[in-house]
Amino acid sequence: MTSGLFQYLISGLTVGATYGLTALGFTMIFNTTGIINFAQGEFVMLGGMLSVFFYKTGIPLGLAIVAAVFATACIGGIIERLAIRPVKNASAINLVIITIGISIFIRGVVMLTLGKDTFSLPSFSGVSPILFMGAAILPQSIWVLCITCIMLLLLKLFFDRSIYGKAMLACACEQKAAYLVGISVERMAFLSFAISGFVGAIGGAILTPITLTSYDVGIMLGLKGFAACILGGLGNPFGAAAGGLILGVLESYGAGLVASGYKDAFAFIILLILLFVKPSGLFGKADSERV
Amino acid sequence: MLLLCILMTTGTAFADDVVKIGAVLSVTGPASFIGEPEKNSIEMVRDAINASGGVLGKKIEVIIYDDESNVNKAVLSVDKLIKKDRVAVVLGPSISGNTLAVMNKFPAAKIPMVSCAAAEKIIKPVNPWVFKVAPSDRFAVQKILSDAKAKGYKKLAIITVSDGFGQAGREELKDLIPSSGFELVADEVYGPKDTDMTAQLTKIKEINPDAIICWGTNPGPAVIARNRVQLGMTTPLYMSHGVASKKFIELAGEAAEGLLLPAGHLLVASQLPDSDPQKAVLLDYTKRYTKMFKKPVSTFGGHGSDSLNLAVKAMENGGSTDSQAIRDNLEKIQNFAGIGGVFSFTPEDHVGLDENAFIMVVIENGEWKIAQK
C-alpha cells in the first residue's frame, strides 16, 4: 500500500509539472499585460507538435526541440503584434476573448497542416523505469521535474533581478506610470508573449515523450494550467508552478484512492473550496503588495 | 439544398435497366475516417458488379449522400432517398447515432436498410427492415473472455475511457464478466484526453488481477500500455478492437509488445490458413482497394463493401430487385463470406455474425500476429 501511495505522488508530480509549466506562461503574460492568455495551452501544444514535425524531417531530437521552441516564441510575438496590439485600448475582457479566438485559430491551422493524429517523441534518456522505494519513475519524469524547476528559477531571477523583468512588472501595475518613466509598454507586451510562447513550448516538447501530443491537447492543458494559476495565486511564478504540482498530486490521489471516474472533478472541487476560503490563492498576495 | 450530393448516374441507362440503391455515409466531418473508405468501397464494388454484367441483367446505380457526420443531415438524406429517389434498398448510415435516428422510417417505407454501424441497439429488438454488417462490441468482449477462459484467468480488471465507445464497452464488460464466471475486481475509468493513467494502474496493480482489459480508442490505450511497462507490471493486458490500427503500435512503441486484442480478419488476412472461407475475399478486396485508392484498407471500408454485396446477393437469391423481396432474402442469406465476417442471417438475427467475426491477435515485433489458441 505504501508503495502505491508513493507511486501516486510520483505520477501526480509528473502530471502536475505539465500544469505548472502551462501556468508559468499564464503568469508571464498576466504580469505584464494584466490579461489571461487562453491560447497558452496552444503554445504547449505547438511546442509538442512542432517538435514532432521538425523531428520527422530527420534532424536530431535536440535540434528539433530548439527549433520548435523558437518557432513558438516567434508565433507568440506575432500574435501580440497582429491580434493584441491593434486593439490594445480595448478592455481586458475583450482581449481575453481575443485570445480564445486565437487559440481556436491555432488549433484549426495545426489540425489542417499537421493532421488530426496523435504523435509521440522518443524519450531523452531511455524508457526503462528507475525503481525507488517501490515506485517506478521514468527518466523522462525526472527531466520534466528538473526542467520545470530550472525554468521557475530563471523566471524568478528574471522578474526579481533583470531590468526587463522589473519593467514588465511595472507595466502590469500601472501602464501610464510605466510610460512616464520611459518603459516601452508595447515592447514589454511583445516580449511577454514571446517568453510565454517559449516557456509553453519547452513544456510541450519535454512532455510529449510521456503524454503524447495531438492538435487538441491544448484545451484541457490550458484549463488545468489556469486552475493551477488560480490555486497558486495569479501573478506569482512560484505559486503557479506549485499550484500545478498540487493539482496534479490531488488528481492522482483522487483517482487512485477515491474513484478514477471523478478525477477531474476532484481537483476542481478542491479549487472551488480554496477560492471560497482564500480567494487570492495559496501563495497569492494582495494587489498593492506586488510592486 | 445545402447537402453535398454526390450523384453517380451510370450514363445513358434507362430507368428499367437500372436498380437504384441509396447510401447515406459520413464522408466528411468527424466520422470521415469511417465514411470515406465506405464510400470508396461501395463505388469499387458497384463498378466491379456493373463490369461483370450487373445484377439480374440490370446495372446498379448507387446514390450516395454525405451526412457530414450530422444526424439531421442523415435524416434528410434518408427522406430524400425514400421519397424522391425511390431506391430499392438503403446502405448505411456509417455511425450508430445516425442509424438509430433514421431506422424507424424504414418499416413504413417498406424499404430495407443495411447499416454500417456497430451499436447493438440497431438490431435488438429486431426491426424487420433493419440489418447491420458491423459486428457488435459485445462480440469483441466475448472473444476476449473466451481467450481469458482458455488461459484459466479468474480475476479480471477493466479500465475504460469515459466516452461513448468506452462506456458502451464498459456496460458489456460489466454484464458479461460476471455472467461468464469471472470475477470483476477493479472497474477504473479515465478521460479521453488524459495523459497519465499510472494512478489507475497502480490501484489495479495492488489488487493483482489475472488480466486487465482496456477499452478505448487512441491515444488513451497507448498511454496505458506505456504506463503498464513503466510500473513494471507483467499482468496480461487485453485491448479492444478500437485500437486495431498501426497507429497504436506506433504510439505505444515497445510497450505494445505482447498485447492481445480482438480484431477483424482483414488485419491479418495474409496469415489466415488457406482453409479460411474469408481469406480469398479479404486478399482480393485488399489488392483491389489499395490499387484503386492508393490507401491502406480499413475495417470500415469492409463494412461498405459487405453492405452492397449482401444487398446484391439478396437480389440474386430472390431473383427480384423489389424491396420486399430484398428484405425477405437478406434474412435467408447463409454462410456468406464477407470482409467483416461470415454472415448467416435469420429472422431473429439481423447482424448475422458472432464472436468469430473477431480473431485474437498479438503484437510481436511491431506487427500483428494471429494469437495461438
Side-chain angles (χ1 to χ4, degrees), chain A residues 1 4 7-8 11 15 118 120 129 136 138 209 211 216 252 256 258 260 263, chain B residues 188-189 193-196 198-200 202-203 206 219 226 230-231 247 251:
Chain A
M1 190 67 193
Q7 185 70 59
Y8 295 141
S11 309
V15 182
T118 308
S120 166
L138 274 189
T211 62
D216 59 352
S252 177
V258 186
S260 46
K263 197 183 92 178
Chain B
E188 297 296 319
V189 179
K193 288 276 147 230
D194 283 3
T195 53
D196 181 287
T198 44
Q200 288 92 327
T202 304
K203 198 170 172 186
E206 286 177 350
R226 284 161 159 244
Q230 182 190 337
L231 291 173
K247 191 77 201 167
L251 289 176

PDB file of all heavy atoms in Angstrom, chain A residues 1 4 7-8 11 15 118 120 129 136 138 209 211 216 252 256 258 260 263, chain B residues 188-189 193-196 198-200 202-203 206 219 226 230-231 247 251:
ATOM      1  N   MET A   1       0.832  -1.202   0.000  1.00  0.00           N
ATOM      2  CA  MET A   1       0.000   0.000   0.000  1.00  0.00           C
ATOM      3  C   MET A   1       0.870   1.258   0.000  1.00  0.00           C
ATOM      4  O   MET A   1       0.624   2.202  -0.741  1.00  0.00           O
ATOM      5  CB  MET A   1      -0.917  -0.028   1.235  1.00  0.00           C
ATOM      6  CG  MET A   1      -1.998   1.055   1.217  1.00  0.00           C
ATOM      7  SD  MET A   1      -3.216   0.771  -0.119  1.00  0.00           S
ATOM      8  CE  MET A   1      -4.068   2.325  -0.135  1.00  0.00           C
ATOM      9  N   GLY A   4       2.196   2.058  -3.218  1.00  0.00           N
ATOM     10  CA  GLY A   4       1.133   2.641  -4.036  1.00  0.00           C
ATOM     11  C   GLY A   4       1.007   4.127  -3.782  1.00  0.00           C
ATOM     12  O   GLY A   4       0.959   4.933  -4.710  1.00  0.00           O
ATOM     13  N   GLN A   7       3.747   5.898  -5.381  1.00  0.00           N
ATOM     14  CA  GLN A   7       3.574   5.921  -6.832  1.00  0.00           C
ATOM     15  C   GLN A   7       2.593   7.010  -7.248  1.00  0.00           C
ATOM     16  O   GLN A   7       2.796   7.709  -8.232  1.00  0.00           O
ATOM     17  CB  GLN A   7       3.089   4.546  -7.320  1.00  0.00           C
ATOM     18  CG  GLN A   7       2.983   4.421  -8.832  1.00  0.00           C
ATOM     19  CD  GLN A   7       4.351   4.403  -9.479  1.00  0.00           C
ATOM     20  OE1 GLN A   7       5.174   3.539  -9.192  1.00  0.00           O
ATOM     21  NE2 GLN A   7       4.617   5.388 -10.331  1.00  0.00           N
ATOM     22  N   TYR A   8       1.500   7.153  -6.485  1.00  0.00           N
ATOM     23  CA  TYR A   8       0.528   8.203  -6.791  1.00  0.00           C
ATOM     24  C   TYR A   8       1.194   9.571  -6.752  1.00  0.00           C
ATOM     25  O   TYR A   8       0.927  10.448  -7.565  1.00  0.00           O
ATOM     26  CB  TYR A   8      -0.641   8.187  -5.789  1.00  0.00           C
ATOM     27  CG  TYR A   8      -1.497   6.943  -5.856  1.00  0.00           C
ATOM     28  CD1 TYR A   8      -1.993   6.355  -4.706  1.00  0.00           C
ATOM     29  CD2 TYR A   8      -1.823   6.363  -7.078  1.00  0.00           C
ATOM     30  CE1 TYR A   8      -2.782   5.219  -4.755  1.00  0.00           C
ATOM     31  CE2 TYR A   8      -2.607   5.225  -7.144  1.00  0.00           C
ATOM     32  CZ  TYR A   8      -3.086   4.649  -5.972  1.00  0.00           C
ATOM     33  OH  TYR A   8      -3.855   3.540  -6.043  1.00  0.00           O
ATOM     34  N   SER A  11       3.381   9.998  -9.887  1.00  0.00           N
ATOM     35  CA  SER A  11       2.527  10.240 -11.058  1.00  0.00           C
ATOM     36  C   SER A  11       1.965  11.649 -10.998  1.00  0.00           C
ATOM     37  O   SER A  11       1.934  12.361 -11.996  1.00  0.00           O
ATOM     38  CB  SER A  11       1.359   9.256 -11.092  1.00  0.00           C
ATOM     39  OG  SER A  11       1.821   7.961 -10.945  1.00  0.00           O
ATOM     40  N   VAL A  15       2.446  14.730 -13.806  1.00  0.00           N
ATOM     41  CA  VAL A  15       1.324  15.397 -14.462  1.00  0.00           C
ATOM     42  C   VAL A  15       1.251  16.847 -14.002  1.00  0.00           C
ATOM     43  O   VAL A  15       0.997  17.760 -14.790  1.00  0.00           O
ATOM     44  CB  VAL A  15       0.001  14.671 -14.130  1.00  0.00           C
ATOM     45  CG1 VAL A  15      -1.145  15.335 -14.852  1.00  0.00           C
ATOM     46  CG2 VAL A  15       0.086  13.226 -14.540  1.00  0.00           C
ATOM     47  N   THR A 118      -2.537  11.497 -33.263  1.00  0.00           N
ATOM     48  CA  THR A 118      -1.728  11.670 -32.068  1.00  0.00           C
ATOM     49  C   THR A 118      -0.294  11.293 -32.420  1.00  0.00           C
ATOM     50  O   THR A 118      -0.064  10.379 -33.201  1.00  0.00           O
ATOM     51  CB  THR A 118      -2.243  10.745 -30.961  1.00  0.00           C
ATOM     52  OG1 THR A 118      -3.636  10.959 -30.820  1.00  0.00           O
ATOM     53  CG2 THR A 118      -1.560  11.029 -29.652  1.00  0.00           C
ATOM     54  N   SER A 120       4.049  10.978 -31.056  1.00  0.00           N
ATOM     55  CA  SER A 120       4.911  10.736 -29.915  1.00  0.00           C
ATOM     56  C   SER A 120       6.334  11.152 -30.271  1.00  0.00           C
ATOM     57  O   SER A 120       6.680  11.285 -31.445  1.00  0.00           O
ATOM     58  CB  SER A 120       4.840   9.245 -29.579  1.00  0.00           C
ATOM     59  OG  SER A 120       5.871   8.918 -28.703  1.00  0.00           O
ATOM     60  N   PRO A 129      12.214   2.191 -16.470  1.00  0.00           N
ATOM     61  CA  PRO A 129      11.916   2.946 -15.269  1.00  0.00           C
ATOM     62  C   PRO A 129      12.949   2.737 -14.165  1.00  0.00           C
ATOM     63  O   PRO A 129      13.576   1.676 -14.072  1.00  0.00           O
ATOM     64  CB  PRO A 129      10.548   2.405 -14.842  1.00  0.00           C
ATOM     65  CG  PRO A 129      10.435   1.091 -15.486  1.00  0.00           C
ATOM     66  CD  PRO A 129      11.260   1.112 -16.724  1.00  0.00           C
ATOM     67  N   ALA A 136       7.856   3.241  -9.483  1.00  0.00           N
ATOM     68  CA  ALA A 136       8.613   3.321 -10.728  1.00  0.00           C
ATOM     69  C   ALA A 136       8.612   4.760 -11.225  1.00  0.00           C
ATOM     70  O   ALA A 136       7.569   5.408 -11.276  1.00  0.00           O
ATOM     71  CB  ALA A 136       7.999   2.405 -11.762  1.00  0.00           C
ATOM     72  N   LEU A 138       9.930   7.242 -14.401  1.00  0.00           N
ATOM     73  CA  LEU A 138      10.515   7.292 -15.740  1.00  0.00           C
ATOM     74  C   LEU A 138      11.634   8.332 -15.764  1.00  0.00           C
ATOM     75  O   LEU A 138      11.485   9.401 -15.169  1.00  0.00           O
ATOM     76  CB  LEU A 138       9.460   7.703 -16.751  1.00  0.00           C
ATOM     77  CG  LEU A 138       8.583   6.641 -17.358  1.00  0.00           C
ATOM     78  CD1 LEU A 138       7.769   7.254 -18.476  1.00  0.00           C
ATOM     79  CD2 LEU A 138       9.395   5.489 -17.896  1.00  0.00           C
ATOM     80  N   PRO A 209       7.193  13.025 -24.924  1.00  0.00           N
ATOM     81  CA  PRO A 209       7.576  11.616 -24.796  1.00  0.00           C
ATOM     82  C   PRO A 209       6.744  10.848 -23.766  1.00  0.00           C
ATOM     83  O   PRO A 209       6.588   9.637 -23.874  1.00  0.00           O
ATOM     84  CB  PRO A 209       9.040  11.684 -24.347  1.00  0.00           C
ATOM     85  CG  PRO A 209       9.530  12.993 -24.841  1.00  0.00           C
ATOM     86  CD  PRO A 209       8.344  13.913 -24.748  1.00  0.00           C
ATOM     87  N   THR A 211       3.411  12.058 -22.483  1.00  0.00           N
ATOM     88  CA  THR A 211       1.963  12.208 -22.574  1.00  0.00           C
ATOM     89  C   THR A 211       1.427  12.128 -23.994  1.00  0.00           C
ATOM     90  O   THR A 211       0.216  12.133 -24.175  1.00  0.00           O
ATOM     91  CB  THR A 211       1.541  13.567 -22.000  1.00  0.00           C
ATOM     92  OG1 THR A 211       2.156  14.592 -22.785  1.00  0.00           O
ATOM     93  CG2 THR A 211       1.988  13.727 -20.566  1.00  0.00           C
ATOM     94  N   ASP A 216      -5.265  18.875 -30.379  1.00  0.00           N
ATOM     95  CA  ASP A 216      -6.256  19.382 -29.423  1.00  0.00           C
ATOM     96  C   ASP A 216      -5.890  19.171 -27.957  1.00  0.00           C
ATOM     97  O   ASP A 216      -6.752  19.252 -27.090  1.00  0.00           O
ATOM     98  CB  ASP A 216      -7.635  18.769 -29.716  1.00  0.00           C
ATOM     99  CG  ASP A 216      -7.614  17.253 -29.636  1.00  0.00           C
ATOM    100  OD1 ASP A 216      -6.509  16.683 -29.501  1.00  0.00           O
ATOM    101  OD2 ASP A 216      -8.689  16.648 -29.717  1.00  0.00           O
ATOM    102  N   SER A 252      -4.107  12.734  -8.801  1.00  0.00           N
ATOM    103  CA  SER A 252      -3.572  11.389  -8.765  1.00  0.00           C
ATOM    104  C   SER A 252      -4.093  10.624  -7.551  1.00  0.00           C
ATOM    105  O   SER A 252      -4.528   9.477  -7.663  1.00  0.00           O
ATOM    106  CB  SER A 252      -2.044  11.474  -8.737  1.00  0.00           C
ATOM    107  OG  SER A 252      -1.486  10.213  -8.639  1.00  0.00           O
ATOM    108  N   GLY A 256      -6.602   7.465  -7.583  1.00  0.00           N
ATOM    109  CA  GLY A 256      -6.122   6.203  -7.022  1.00  0.00           C
ATOM    110  C   GLY A 256      -6.893   5.752  -5.809  1.00  0.00           C
ATOM    111  O   GLY A 256      -7.181   4.574  -5.651  1.00  0.00           O
ATOM    112  N   VAL A 258      -9.911   7.386  -4.414  1.00  0.00           N
ATOM    113  CA  VAL A 258     -11.367   7.561  -4.365  1.00  0.00           C
ATOM    114  C   VAL A 258     -11.990   6.848  -5.563  1.00  0.00           C
ATOM    115  O   VAL A 258     -12.336   5.681  -5.475  1.00  0.00           O
ATOM    116  CB  VAL A 258     -11.741   9.059  -4.314  1.00  0.00           C
ATOM    117  CG1 VAL A 258     -13.240   9.213  -4.106  1.00  0.00           C
ATOM    118  CG2 VAL A 258     -10.982   9.765  -3.198  1.00  0.00           C
ATOM    119  N   SER A 260     -11.571   6.794 -10.044  1.00  0.00           N
ATOM    120  CA  SER A 260     -10.909   7.412 -11.181  1.00  0.00           C
ATOM    121  C   SER A 260     -11.873   8.181 -12.072  1.00  0.00           C
ATOM    122  O   SER A 260     -11.482   9.090 -12.779  1.00  0.00           O
ATOM    123  CB  SER A 260     -10.154   6.360 -11.983  1.00  0.00           C
ATOM    124  OG  SER A 260     -10.955   5.224 -12.185  1.00  0.00           O
ATOM    125  N   LYS A 263     -11.857  11.928 -11.405  1.00  0.00           N
ATOM    126  CA  LYS A 263     -10.534  12.513 -11.288  1.00  0.00           C
ATOM    127  C   LYS A 263     -10.530  14.030 -11.511  1.00  0.00           C
ATOM    128  O   LYS A 263     -10.032  14.783 -10.674  1.00  0.00           O
ATOM    129  CB  LYS A 263      -9.587  11.848 -12.294  1.00  0.00           C
ATOM    130  CG  LYS A 263      -8.142  12.081 -11.981  1.00  0.00           C
ATOM    131  CD  LYS A 263      -7.260  11.479 -13.037  1.00  0.00           C
ATOM    132  CE  LYS A 263      -6.963  12.505 -14.091  1.00  0.00           C
ATOM    133  NZ  LYS A 263      -6.088  12.038 -15.131  1.00  0.00           N
TER     134      LYS A 263
ATOM    135  N   GLU B 188     -11.971   0.673 -13.415  1.00  0.00           N
ATOM    136  CA  GLU B 188     -11.379   2.007 -13.455  1.00  0.00           C
ATOM    137  C   GLU B 188     -11.785   2.740 -14.725  1.00  0.00           C
ATOM    138  O   GLU B 188     -12.069   2.114 -15.752  1.00  0.00           O
ATOM    139  CB  GLU B 188      -9.850   1.921 -13.394  1.00  0.00           C
ATOM    140  CG  GLU B 188      -9.327   1.324 -12.100  1.00  0.00           C
ATOM    141  CD  GLU B 188      -9.665   2.181 -10.897  1.00  0.00           C
ATOM    142  OE1 GLU B 188      -9.571   3.417 -10.999  1.00  0.00           O
ATOM    143  OE2 GLU B 188     -10.040   1.614  -9.851  1.00  0.00           O
ATOM    144  N   VAL B 189     -11.803   4.072 -14.648  1.00  0.00           N
ATOM    145  CA  VAL B 189     -12.209   4.903 -15.781  1.00  0.00           C
ATOM    146  C   VAL B 189     -11.142   5.980 -15.990  1.00  0.00           C
ATOM    147  O   VAL B 189     -10.492   6.397 -15.036  1.00  0.00           O
ATOM    148  CB  VAL B 189     -13.573   5.582 -15.483  1.00  0.00           C
ATOM    149  CG1 VAL B 189     -14.004   6.467 -16.633  1.00  0.00           C
ATOM    150  CG2 VAL B 189     -14.630   4.531 -15.207  1.00  0.00           C
ATOM    151  N   LYS B 193      -8.990  12.624 -22.781  1.00  0.00           N
ATOM    152  CA  LYS B 193      -7.845  13.497 -23.003  1.00  0.00           C
ATOM    153  C   LYS B 193      -6.764  13.309 -21.932  1.00  0.00           C
ATOM    154  O   LYS B 193      -5.820  14.084 -21.856  1.00  0.00           O
ATOM    155  CB  LYS B 193      -8.312  14.971 -22.997  1.00  0.00           C
ATOM    156  CG  LYS B 193      -9.108  15.352 -24.217  1.00  0.00           C
ATOM    157  CD  LYS B 193      -8.212  15.731 -25.382  1.00  0.00           C
ATOM    158  CE  LYS B 193      -8.829  15.348 -26.704  1.00  0.00           C
ATOM    159  NZ  LYS B 193      -7.934  14.606 -27.564  1.00  0.00           N
ATOM    160  N   ASP B 194      -6.925  12.306 -21.070  1.00  0.00           N
ATOM    161  CA  ASP B 194      -5.947  12.091 -20.000  1.00  0.00           C
ATOM    162  C   ASP B 194      -4.602  11.647 -20.578  1.00  0.00           C
ATOM    163  O   ASP B 194      -4.545  10.930 -21.573  1.00  0.00           O
ATOM    164  CB  ASP B 194      -6.443  11.030 -19.016  1.00  0.00           C
ATOM    165  CG  ASP B 194      -7.499  11.593 -18.087  1.00  0.00           C
ATOM    166  OD1 ASP B 194      -7.856  12.766 -18.280  1.00  0.00           O
ATOM    167  OD2 ASP B 194      -7.964  10.870 -17.195  1.00  0.00           O
ATOM    168  N   THR B 195      -3.530  12.078 -19.912  1.00  0.00           N
ATOM    169  CA  THR B 195      -2.202  11.772 -20.433  1.00  0.00           C
ATOM    170  C   THR B 195      -1.406  10.894 -19.486  1.00  0.00           C
ATOM    171  O   THR B 195      -0.248  10.600 -19.743  1.00  0.00           O
ATOM    172  CB  THR B 195      -1.419  13.073 -20.668  1.00  0.00           C
ATOM    173  OG1 THR B 195      -1.443  13.831 -19.457  1.00  0.00           O
ATOM    174  CG2 THR B 195      -2.030  13.885 -21.775  1.00  0.00           C
ATOM    175  N   ASP B 196      -1.996  10.503 -18.383  1.00  0.00           N
ATOM    176  CA  ASP B 196      -1.265   9.668 -17.443  1.00  0.00           C
ATOM    177  C   ASP B 196      -2.272   8.799 -16.686  1.00  0.00           C
ATOM    178  O   ASP B 196      -3.174   9.319 -16.041  1.00  0.00           O
ATOM    179  CB  ASP B 196      -0.486  10.559 -16.457  1.00  0.00           C
ATOM    180  CG  ASP B 196       0.319   9.728 -15.480  1.00  0.00           C
ATOM    181  OD1 ASP B 196      -0.290   9.120 -14.565  1.00  0.00           O
ATOM    182  OD2 ASP B 196       1.542   9.663 -15.627  1.00  0.00           O
ATOM    183  N   THR B 198      -1.199   6.200 -14.607  1.00  0.00           N
ATOM    184  CA  THR B 198      -0.482   5.384 -13.618  1.00  0.00           C
ATOM    185  C   THR B 198      -1.275   5.276 -12.313  1.00  0.00           C
ATOM    186  O   THR B 198      -1.171   4.264 -11.627  1.00  0.00           O
ATOM    187  CB  THR B 198       0.921   5.956 -13.318  1.00  0.00           C
ATOM    188  OG1 THR B 198       0.828   7.350 -13.173  1.00  0.00           O
ATOM    189  CG2 THR B 198       1.909   5.623 -14.402  1.00  0.00           C
ATOM    190  N   ALA B 199      -2.065   6.293 -11.982  1.00  0.00           N
ATOM    191  CA  ALA B 199      -2.842   6.207 -10.744  1.00  0.00           C
ATOM    192  C   ALA B 199      -3.799   5.017 -10.799  1.00  0.00           C
ATOM    193  O   ALA B 199      -3.833   4.187  -9.887  1.00  0.00           O
ATOM    194  CB  ALA B 199      -3.594   7.507 -10.510  1.00  0.00           C
ATOM    195  N   GLN B 200      -4.546   4.923 -11.921  1.00  0.00           N
ATOM    196  CA  GLN B 200      -5.496   3.818 -12.070  1.00  0.00           C
ATOM    197  C   GLN B 200      -4.769   2.472 -12.079  1.00  0.00           C
ATOM    198  O   GLN B 200      -5.213   1.498 -11.476  1.00  0.00           O
ATOM    199  CB  GLN B 200      -6.294   3.966 -13.373  1.00  0.00           C
ATOM    200  CG  GLN B 200      -7.331   5.082 -13.358  1.00  0.00           C
ATOM    201  CD  GLN B 200      -6.784   6.385 -13.889  1.00  0.00           C
ATOM    202  OE1 GLN B 200      -5.603   6.704 -13.730  1.00  0.00           O
ATOM    203  NE2 GLN B 200      -7.631   7.174 -14.518  1.00  0.00           N
ATOM    204  N   THR B 202      -1.818   1.744 -10.808  1.00  0.00           N
ATOM    205  CA  THR B 202      -1.248   1.422  -9.501  1.00  0.00           C
ATOM    206  C   THR B 202      -2.304   0.751  -8.631  1.00  0.00           C
ATOM    207  O   THR B 202      -2.040  -0.232  -7.945  1.00  0.00           O
ATOM    208  CB  THR B 202      -0.749   2.704  -8.806  1.00  0.00           C
ATOM    209  OG1 THR B 202       0.173   3.342  -9.669  1.00  0.00           O
ATOM    210  CG2 THR B 202      -0.070   2.391  -7.498  1.00  0.00           C
ATOM    211  N   LYS B 203      -3.513   1.285  -8.709  1.00  0.00           N
ATOM    212  CA  LYS B 203      -4.615   0.706  -7.937  1.00  0.00           C
ATOM    213  C   LYS B 203      -4.864  -0.739  -8.389  1.00  0.00           C
ATOM    214  O   LYS B 203      -5.006  -1.643  -7.564  1.00  0.00           O
ATOM    215  CB  LYS B 203      -5.864   1.554  -8.176  1.00  0.00           C
ATOM    216  CG  LYS B 203      -6.948   1.364  -7.155  1.00  0.00           C
ATOM    217  CD  LYS B 203      -8.004   2.432  -7.372  1.00  0.00           C
ATOM    218  CE  LYS B 203      -9.226   2.193  -6.525  1.00  0.00           C
ATOM    219  NZ  LYS B 203     -10.288   3.155  -6.862  1.00  0.00           N
ATOM    220  N   GLU B 206      -2.189  -3.182  -7.189  1.00  0.00           N
ATOM    221  CA  GLU B 206      -2.305  -3.622  -5.795  1.00  0.00           C
ATOM    222  C   GLU B 206      -3.359  -4.703  -5.630  1.00  0.00           C
ATOM    223  O   GLU B 206      -3.256  -5.556  -4.754  1.00  0.00           O
ATOM    224  CB  GLU B 206      -2.613  -2.421  -4.898  1.00  0.00           C
ATOM    225  CG  GLU B 206      -1.384  -1.560  -4.710  1.00  0.00           C
ATOM    226  CD  GLU B 206      -1.645  -0.306  -3.898  1.00  0.00           C
ATOM    227  OE1 GLU B 206      -2.822  -0.002  -3.630  1.00  0.00           O
ATOM    228  OE2 GLU B 206      -0.669   0.357  -3.544  1.00  0.00           O
ATOM    229  N   PRO B 219      -5.664   8.156 -28.193  1.00  0.00           N
ATOM    230  CA  PRO B 219      -4.369   7.658 -27.751  1.00  0.00           C
ATOM    231  C   PRO B 219      -4.364   7.002 -26.358  1.00  0.00           C
ATOM    232  O   PRO B 219      -3.343   6.458 -25.965  1.00  0.00           O
ATOM    233  CB  PRO B 219      -3.534   8.934 -27.688  1.00  0.00           C
ATOM    234  CG  PRO B 219      -4.522   9.988 -27.288  1.00  0.00           C
ATOM    235  CD  PRO B 219      -5.838   9.578 -27.899  1.00  0.00           C
ATOM    236  N   ARG B 226       1.999   2.059 -22.141  1.00  0.00           N
ATOM    237  CA  ARG B 226       3.283   2.612 -21.708  1.00  0.00           C
ATOM    238  C   ARG B 226       3.363   2.657 -20.175  1.00  0.00           C
ATOM    239  O   ARG B 226       4.372   2.291 -19.582  1.00  0.00           O
ATOM    240  CB  ARG B 226       3.446   4.041 -22.244  1.00  0.00           C
ATOM    241  CG  ARG B 226       3.797   4.100 -23.710  1.00  0.00           C
ATOM    242  CD  ARG B 226       3.477   5.482 -24.245  1.00  0.00           C
ATOM    243  NE  ARG B 226       4.233   5.744 -25.468  1.00  0.00           N
ATOM    244  CZ  ARG B 226       5.150   6.689 -25.569  1.00  0.00           C
ATOM    245  NH1 ARG B 226       5.439   7.464 -24.555  1.00  0.00           N
ATOM    246  NH2 ARG B 226       5.789   6.872 -26.698  1.00  0.00           N
ATOM    247  N   GLN B 230       5.960   1.010 -17.567  1.00  0.00           N
ATOM    248  CA  GLN B 230       6.626   1.939 -16.663  1.00  0.00           C
ATOM    249  C   GLN B 230       6.510   1.483 -15.215  1.00  0.00           C
ATOM    250  O   GLN B 230       7.448   1.614 -14.431  1.00  0.00           O
ATOM    251  CB  GLN B 230       5.961   3.303 -16.853  1.00  0.00           C
ATOM    252  CG  GLN B 230       6.544   4.417 -16.032  1.00  0.00           C
ATOM    253  CD  GLN B 230       5.647   5.642 -16.125  1.00  0.00           C
ATOM    254  OE1 GLN B 230       4.890   5.800 -17.075  1.00  0.00           O
ATOM    255  NE2 GLN B 230       5.714   6.495 -15.143  1.00  0.00           N
ATOM    256  N   LEU B 231       5.349   0.926 -14.863  1.00  0.00           N
ATOM    257  CA  LEU B 231       5.135   0.479 -13.483  1.00  0.00           C
ATOM    258  C   LEU B 231       5.713  -0.917 -13.253  1.00  0.00           C
ATOM    259  O   LEU B 231       5.577  -1.473 -12.174  1.00  0.00           O
ATOM    260  CB  LEU B 231       3.642   0.471 -13.154  1.00  0.00           C
ATOM    261  CG  LEU B 231       2.974   1.841 -13.069  1.00  0.00           C
ATOM    262  CD1 LEU B 231       1.478   1.708 -12.905  1.00  0.00           C
ATOM    263  CD2 LEU B 231       3.550   2.645 -11.924  1.00  0.00           C
ATOM    264  N   LYS B 247      -1.372   2.809 -36.031  1.00  0.00           N
ATOM    265  CA  LYS B 247      -1.111   3.999 -35.218  1.00  0.00           C
ATOM    266  C   LYS B 247      -0.878   3.611 -33.754  1.00  0.00           C
ATOM    267  O   LYS B 247      -0.041   4.197 -33.070  1.00  0.00           O
ATOM    268  CB  LYS B 247      -2.315   4.939 -35.329  1.00  0.00           C
ATOM    269  CG  LYS B 247      -2.065   6.321 -34.759  1.00  0.00           C
ATOM    270  CD  LYS B 247      -1.235   7.165 -35.690  1.00  0.00           C
ATOM    271  CE  LYS B 247      -0.570   8.295 -34.943  1.00  0.00           C
ATOM    272  NZ  LYS B 247       0.471   8.954 -35.715  1.00  0.00           N
ATOM    273  N   LEU B 251       2.353   4.498 -31.521  1.00  0.00           N
ATOM    274  CA  LEU B 251       2.299   5.326 -30.317  1.00  0.00           C
ATOM    275  C   LEU B 251       2.812   4.590 -29.085  1.00  0.00           C
ATOM    276  O   LEU B 251       3.511   5.153 -28.257  1.00  0.00           O
ATOM    277  CB  LEU B 251       0.865   5.793 -30.052  1.00  0.00           C
ATOM    278  CG  LEU B 251       0.295   6.837 -30.996  1.00  0.00           C
ATOM    279  CD1 LEU B 251      -1.156   7.115 -30.659  1.00  0.00           C
ATOM    280  CD2 LEU B 251       1.096   8.122 -30.913  1.00  0.00           C
TER     281      LEU B 251
END
